[in-house]
């Protein structure tokens, strides 16, 4: 057995637990740069949180310039503000874009340089400013993961900074902060979370040669990520549609957030794979949200990978609550893939990358750029080369999963 867990020092979950924020900040600093976006600063919960932090004796400076999908220049503005303020702790409050902005700002305040200096794995030289993260979407899991994802105009696709130093000091997940998410946001962020859990559970199982925790930030499938992934899948599968249908269903909101954070704990050590690799160029071409792209890809990727992870797909179906009693592994895997596709279409997720706005002439570029995400490509259970990636991308364009399955050559 092999298990890796990369987690914050403190992880607090529950309705109203945002009240724990001031006490945690006061333990690590006295000048907090609060990284968020313009929407959040209008929220009454936000104002109350800032008042609570001030009452705990911590000075605050709010940077509300985060832009969704995190273009690089908004980060620089946050760094300049944090330097002028003399911040010794960074608080991120918002969706994944705000949490990732807080991570990168905390990194640049501690180590200087530009974000591009740290792209890739293990490039962060040491601890960053203490980070406290509070998600307001049930999606990315960024509050517990060792990665931040950025849109850099000098790069064709989004880039990641992956380092255990980017794991926050304290994550506080308060489902009440997600009550304001409209159905479309609930759908794409929740679908991103389910995709994290499925990709983490089906990712490659590496050979245990040497200390692979120091070679890869994302070490592949392991017993701890598996436990978090199944926890995530069972909670998200039961709550995503109810939370989408009725945003004031408190139990669904809580389960969805719990599932999204568990999914972050799963992929934070195991990694994600092909669905995320293909989303990067699709997002860049179509300017569609991250969650929309990974969710479109997920059923195609499951079918593409099934010869290499059919048993895992069967287990995923069980965690989703499908009745697979008496079914063969292959039948169960088929039902699981269909159930994920049905769930996503029931919450308005597109069925093909053409529906997201990709043109047929874009496909060679999508293939090349997806293969360029080596951090993600190396995690896929079925090896990806130019031919197989072309097949996967073409199928997701045509809306046809039927030709994707292939058994491993040595079986
Ligand atoms: N670091 C990681 O581990 C990780 C993992 C997956 C994705 N990501 C990244 O996270 C980003 C996506 O994050 P996201 O899906 O949370 O969306 P987001 O942060 O990009 O936010 C999308 C929109 O939703 C709004 N919003 C956020 N919370 C809201 C709420 N409670 N009510 C109403 N509106 C709200 C925001 O203001 C914004 O306009 C992408 O940049 C993606 O690449 C990071
Ligand atoms: Fe994601």
């Amino acid at each position: 057995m092999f298990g890796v867990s990369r987690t914050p020092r403190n992880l607090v979950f529950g309705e109203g637990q945002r009240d724990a924020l001031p006490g945690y900040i006061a333990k690590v600093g006295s000048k907090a740069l609060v990284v968020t976006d313009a929407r959040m600063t209008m929220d009454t919960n936000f104002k109350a949180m800032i008042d609570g932090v001030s009452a705990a004796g911590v000075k605050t400076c709010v940077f509300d310039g985060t832009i969704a999908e995190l273009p690089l220049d908004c980060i620089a503005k946050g760094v300049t503000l944090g330097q002028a303020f003399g911040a010794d702790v960074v608080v991120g409050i918002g969706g994944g874009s705000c949490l990732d902005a807080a991570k990168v700002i905390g990194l640049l305040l501690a180590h200087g340089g530009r974000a591009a200096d740290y792209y890739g794995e293990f490039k962060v030289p040491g601890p960053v400013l203490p980070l406290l993260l509070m998600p307001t979407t049930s999606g990315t899991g960024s509050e517990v993961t060792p990665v931040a994802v950025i849109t850099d105009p000098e790069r064709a696709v989004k880039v990641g900074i992956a380092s255990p130093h980017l794991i926050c000091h304290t994550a506080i997940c308060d489902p009440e902060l997600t009550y304001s998410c409209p159905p479309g946001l609930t759908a794409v962020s929740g679908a991103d979370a389910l995709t994290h859990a499925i990709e983490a559970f089906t990712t490659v199982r590496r050979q245990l040669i040497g200390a692979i925790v120091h070679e890869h930030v994302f070490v592949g499938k392991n017993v701890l990520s598996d436990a978090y992934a199944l926890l995530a899948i069972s909670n998200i599968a039961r709550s995503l549609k109810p939370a989408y249908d009725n945003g004031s269903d408190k139990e669904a909101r809580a389960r969805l957030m719990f599932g999204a954070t568990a999914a972050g704990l799963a992929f934070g050590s195991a990694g994600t794979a092909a669905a995320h690799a293909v989303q990067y160029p699709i997002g860049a071409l179509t300017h569609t949200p991250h969650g929309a792209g990974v969710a479109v890809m997920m059923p195609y990727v499951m079918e593409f990978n099934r010869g290499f992870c059919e048993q895992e797909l069967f287990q995923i179906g069980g965690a989703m609550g499908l009745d697979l009693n008496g079914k063969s592994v292959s039948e169960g895997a088929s039902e699981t893939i269909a159930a994920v596709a049905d769930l996503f279409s029931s919450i308005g997720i597109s069925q093909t990358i053409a529906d997201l706005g990709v043109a047929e002439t874009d496909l060679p570029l999508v293939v090349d750029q997806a293969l360029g995400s080596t951090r993600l490509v190396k995690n896929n259970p079925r090896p990806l080369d130019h031919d197989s990636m072309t097949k996967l991308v073409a199928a997701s364009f045509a809306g046809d999963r039927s030709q994707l399955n292939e058994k491993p050559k040595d079986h």
Side-chain angles (χ1 to χ4, degrees), residues 155-170:
R155 304 283 180 121
V157 293
K158 280 180 108 174
V159 279
I161 300 177
S163 162
H165 291 303
L166 288 190
I167 297 175
C168 75
H169 180 279
T170 296

Side-chain angles (χ1 to χ4, degrees), residues 228-313:
Y228 287 129
L230 292 177
L231 181 68
I233 290 163
S234 73
N235 278 283
I236 299 168
R238 286 165 178 77
S239 60
L240 180 50
K241 179 83 164 77
Y244 171 81
D245 285 341
N246 175 11
S248 48
D249 179 337
K250 292 182 180 179
E251 170 159 0
R253 287 294 197 189
R255 277 194 185 283
L256 190 55
M257 182 168 241
F258 187 61
T261 301
L265 290 167
F267 95 82
S269 76
T272 53
H276 274 73
V278 180
Q279 189 278 327
Y280 282 173
I282 292 175
L285 281 167
T286 63
H287 303 287
T288 47
H290 171 81
V294 294
V296 170
M297 289 309 299
M298 191 72 266
Y300 299 97
V301 169
M302 291 167 87
E303 186 63 41
F304 176 83
N305 286 339
R306 74 181 284 165
F308 296 72
C309 59
E310 213 161 40
Q311 182 66 46
E312 282 81 5
L313 294 176

Side-chain angles (χ1 to χ4, degrees), residues 2 4 7 9 15 69 80 104 142 158 160 178 190 207 233 258 265 272-273 291 320 329 354 371 392:
F2 171 64
V4 179
T7 58
R9 182 169 305 179
E15 283 98 346
E69 303 294 319
T80 306
V104 182
S142 178
K158 280 180 108 174
T178 68
Q207 269 196 305
I233 290 163
F258 187 61
L265 290 167
T272 53
M320 289 180 76
V329 171
L371 284 169
L392 171 63

Side-chain angles (χ1 to χ4, degrees), residues 50-359:
I50 297 298
D51 289 347
V53 175
S54 303
V58 175
K59 289 197 175 63
T60 59
C61 171
V62 175
F63 170 65
D64 68 357
T66 306
I67 309 287
E69 303 294 319
L70 206 49
L72 193 57
D73 56 351
C74 76
I75 295 173
K77 290 180 194 151
V79 173
T80 306
L81 192 65
Q83 272 165 343
F85 176 61
D88 57 7
V89 48
V90 178
V91 181
I93 306 178
S97 299
C98 294
L99 306 190
D100 284 1
K103 287 165 146 176
V104 182
I105 291 169
L107 158 64
L108 296 179
L109 286 175
H111 296 291
R114 303 171 314 137
D117 300 337
Y118 306 99
Y119 293 163
E121 290 186 276
F122 292 118
K123 299 272 172 57
V124 178
V128 307
L129 287 196
L131 295 165
L132 293 94
L133 302 180
M134 296 186 69
T136 63
T137 56
S138 295
T140 69
S142 178
E143 67 277 9
V144 292
T145 68
V147 63
V149 191
I150 299 168
T151 304
D152 181 336
E154 286 183 16
R155 304 283 180 121
V157 293
K158 280 180 108 174
V159 279
I161 300 177
S163 162
H165 291 303
L166 288 190
I167 297 175
C168 75
H169 180 279
T170 296
I172 301 176
C173 305
D174 183 338
E176 291 178 2
L177 296 180
T178 68
Y179 291 176
S180 54
C181 292
L185 179 61
T186 303
V188 294
S189 50
D192 185 25
L194 186 58
T195 303
H196 292 156
I198 294 173
E199 291 219 283
F201 195 69
T202 53
T203 195
V204 72
R205 196 190 294 276
R206 290 212 165 77
Q207 269 196 305
L208 291 178
I209 303 169
I212 70 169
V213 281
H214 300 307
E215 280 166 39
H216 305 275
V217 173
F218 301 104
V219 297
K221 188 172 172 61
N222 64 83
V223 290
L224 281 161
S225 62
D226 281 353
Y228 287 129
L230 292 177
L231 181 68
I233 290 163
S234 73
N235 278 283
I236 299 168
R238 286 165 178 77
S239 60
L240 180 50
K241 179 83 164 77
Y244 171 81
D245 285 341
N246 175 11
S248 48
D249 179 337
K250 292 182 180 179
E251 170 159 0
R253 287 294 197 189
R255 277 194 185 283
L256 190 55
M257 182 168 241
F258 187 61
T261 301
L265 290 167
F267 95 82
S269 76
T272 53
H276 274 73
V278 180
Q279 189 278 327
Y280 282 173
I282 292 175
L285 281 167
T286 63
H287 303 287
T288 47
H290 171 81
V294 294
V296 170
M297 289 309 299
M298 191 72 266
Y300 299 97
V301 169
M302 291 167 87
E303 186 63 41
F304 176 83
N305 286 339
R306 74 181 284 165
F308 296 72
C309 59
E310 213 161 40
Q311 182 66 46
E312 282 81 5
L313 294 176
F314 185 94
Q315 285 176 271
I316 289 169
M320 289 180 76
L322 305 181
D323 180 5
L324 300 180
N325 266 333
K327 303 267 165 69
S328 68
V329 171
S330 173
E331 287 165 347
S334 298
E335 286 194 24
T336 304
I337 298 168
V340 170
D342 288 349
L343 173 59
F344 284 171
S345 85
S346 78
I347 57 169
I349 299 288
S350 304
Q351 313 226 339
T352 67
I353 59 172
D355 294 342
L356 286 179
V358 175

